[in-house]
Amino acid sequence: MLLGPDPAEARPASYEGSAPSCFLTGGGALEICRDGSEAEGVLIAPAPCAFVRGVQLLRLARSEAPGPIQALFQGQTPVASRRDEPCPERRATDSRDGGALRTGRTFEALVTTLPPTADRFWVDLPEQSTRARGWSEPTPTAEGIGPRDPIAVTGRTWAGEAYSYVFLLGQERVGVTGGDDAETERRGRRGRRRAEQDAPASGPADVRRRVQIEARTLDFQTFEIRTRTADGYGLAWTPFEAGAGRGRRSDPPAPAAVIDEAGKPVTSACTAPAFETHGLAGSISVVDRTYHYVYTDVLPEDCGLAPEKRRTGLFLRTAQDLSGAKVWSTARKLAGPLPPGSLVRVARAKGLQRWAVSYTCQRPANAPGGPVADICLQYTADMNLDGIGALKLYADPVEAGRSPAYLGLRSGGDGSGRYDRSAHFWMTDAEGNLDTPAIYPNKAGFLTWLDRLAPTASGRDTSSLYGRPVYWATWTVRQIGAQ
């Protein structure tokens, strides 16, 4: 249970849509208010053959054309096609298909609309297979790169480093890579046994786990993937080249798992059937020249449970140099348990010496609209990392995922009062800390999220991911007693 001395206070019961809706946070010293006039909008409504999730808007450390704001996110895997072919309906049917990292740059004034973007790296989808299957069931050629849940942050600019880094999540079959300790292997065996029990009778379970991988870039257009050297012991930066692996010319680069100070790969705690893996999604924030990677993962003691029943913990790793052989410190637990599948982002607040913590939640049952999905937000009292764990993120019972610190987002939904606020992220500066567009200088943050229930542009519900719109919103915070 997460307990704290200053839990967020619930909104007035008289709240009605456009009336101010406020709650206290930051040890009672701050108030977050959102009402019907708070800015929201549609960031993008993708085509039926495309998706957008986990949009991070990054203010570059140096200004470059066409603008200072870099958008990056996980999108669909590109498929071979001719220009005259239509954009067909697609579905996510192969767990190995991690999509593609997409990036694009824009002006300050256009930040509320997703800029034109391009694929940067991905797993190739064979042209023959995609044509034969009508693009509905893409099949990657190999394990390759799984660019899920990207997080971008600058390198050590204070030491003259020009690179920016992107950390992503791949999926590996259990036992593919070495470096596991005995306890991890025991957890893996338990996960395999459960997955095999749940697998359909038609064949063995596809048991996997998440693994963190790393890329670097000078311009967010061309990327180098961190790989192993030919002897398997050293590390190298290998440029990604579109089309590698086609026509037997060369194999796409096989990324190396990011290693921590103990020499172990940064992987999710539990194995699971391919579409049910969890863990390692979060954020990276630079404070005092130290990188703070805060992320959720399944509590190791819950690995023996069914994936949907596994509780989550909040963990911290730190680093001084993202290019080193051993990047992160060993994991330190900040908080838990959290509800299954929780997503938490942490960054230094804009203009304040406090941590801002956003997380998936449900509104309380007596809130407007009832217990619907929302995004919650709290601030710590200061920059002490222990203050993150001291926040009471959820009301009892924690498993219900309810909190009075919800933002009251209005956009999205299926029209019947149901909402889905998935893969939320926000706008940051180059060091991963909260920032806002110049057009909203007085706002405390700029949030993005995917709604998998909102209607698609085509009006069809072939997929809960492809074609679903992504939204944005701002929020306001003020100090209590401030004039």
Side-chain angles (χ1 to χ4, degrees), residues 104-476:
R105 199 166 291 164
T106 190
F107 302 98
E108 291 270 5
L110 299 179
V111 75
T112 57
T113 300
L114 195 70
T117 60
D119 302 303
R120 302 309 180 188
F121 55 84
W122 62 89
V123 175
D124 270 328
L125 300 184
E127 183 176 1
Q128 182 176 2
S129 296
T130 56
R131 182 181 298 128
R133 295 170 182 260
W135 291 8
S136 63
E137 298 182 13
T139 304
T141 56
E143 295 293 313
I145 298 166
R148 300 170 173 87
D149 295 291
I151 309 171
V153 67
T154 185
R156 297 177 303 152
T157 53
W158 53 89
E161 185 173 7
Y163 284 104
S164 293
Y165 293 84
V166 181
F167 289 86
L168 311 106
L169 302 181
Q171 280 198 133
E172 64 176 10
R173 291 183 185 274
V174 173
V176 169
T177 61
D180 296 344
D181 58 18
E183 176 57 27
T184 300
E185 178 55 28
R186 283 195 292 272
R187 293 199 302 264
R189 286 197 296 268
R190 290 197 296 268
R192 285 195 295 273
R193 285 196 296 269
R194 177 164 295 280
E196 288 165 358
Q197 293 170 0
D198 296 339
S202 58
D206 182 8
V207 181
R208 296 175 179 267
R209 65 179 174 185
R210 292 186 175 185
V211 57
Q212 189 183 61
I213 58 179
E214 184 180 7
R216 70 180 186 181
T217 181
L218 294 171
D219 56 9
F220 284 93
Q221 296 183 46
T222 58
F223 287 82
E224 295 177 319
I225 314 301
R226 194 172 198 179
T227 62
R228 289 284 179 189
T229 54
D231 59 12
Y233 293 100
L235 293 170
W237 292 100
T238 304
F240 177 82
E241 298 178 2
R246 290 180 179 171
R248 300 184 181 277
R249 291 198 306 270
S250 62
D251 292 329
V258 176
I259 303 299
D260 67 18
E261 63 185 5
K264 297 179 181 179
V266 178
T267 63
S268 56
C270 306
T271 59
F275 278 107
E276 300 178 55
T277 59
H278 291 285
L280 304 185
S283 52
I284 299 174
S285 176
V286 185
V287 174
D288 296 331
R289 299 185 178 182
T290 298
Y291 294 87
H292 299 81
Y293 170 36
V294 181
Y295 62 95
T296 52
D297 199 1
V298 174
L299 296 176
E301 59 266 31
D302 283 7
C303 286
L305 302 176
E308 68 276 8
K309 295 182 179 180
R310 296 172 180 174
R311 298 168 301 169
T312 299
L314 188 66
F315 297 87
L316 167 71
R317 294 176 186 260
T318 60
Q320 304 298 322
D321 183 359
L322 302 183
S323 64
K326 297 180 179 180
V327 177
W328 298 114
S329 66
T330 55
R332 169 190 165 192
K333 182 181 173 183
L334 290 177
L338 310 179
S342 299
L343 173 61
V344 181
R345 310 280 193 188
V346 175
R348 182 168 57 189
K350 178 189 173 186
L352 299 171
Q353 289 300 307
R354 302 171 184 268
W355 295 103
V357 182
S358 65
Y359 53 102
T360 50
C361 67
Q362 297 278 323
R363 298 178 192 173
N366 61 351
V372 300
D374 210 316
I375 297 172
C376 287
L377 179 69
Q378 293 194 50
Y379 287 70
T380 60
D382 51 35
M383 291 298 293
N384 188 329
L385 287 162
D386 291 334
I388 299 173
L391 295 173
K392 183 176 177 61
L393 300 185
Y394 297 98
D396 295 323
V398 171
E399 295 77 15
R402 297 174 184 172
S403 171
Y406 64 92
L407 287 175
L409 301 172
R410 308 181 307 275
S411 300
D414 64 355
S416 67
R418 296 191 310 149
Y419 297 85
D420 174 70
R421 272 79 191 228
S422 298
H424 73 272
F425 219 142
W426 44 29
M427 181 173 169
T428 72
D429 61 19
E431 296 187 340
N433 296 306
L434 286 188
D435 203 347
T436 57
I439 56 175
Y440 292 117
N442 298 322
K443 298 299 182 181
F446 186 93
L447 193 71
T448 69
W449 74 92
L450 164 71
D451 194 323
R452 300 174 71 128
L453 296 176
T456 65
S458 67
R460 297 182 61 185
D461 292 337
T462 303
S463 168
S464 64
L465 179 61
Y466 284 92
R468 302 290 176 172
V470 171
Y471 299 89
W472 63 267
T474 61
W475 75 88
T476 302

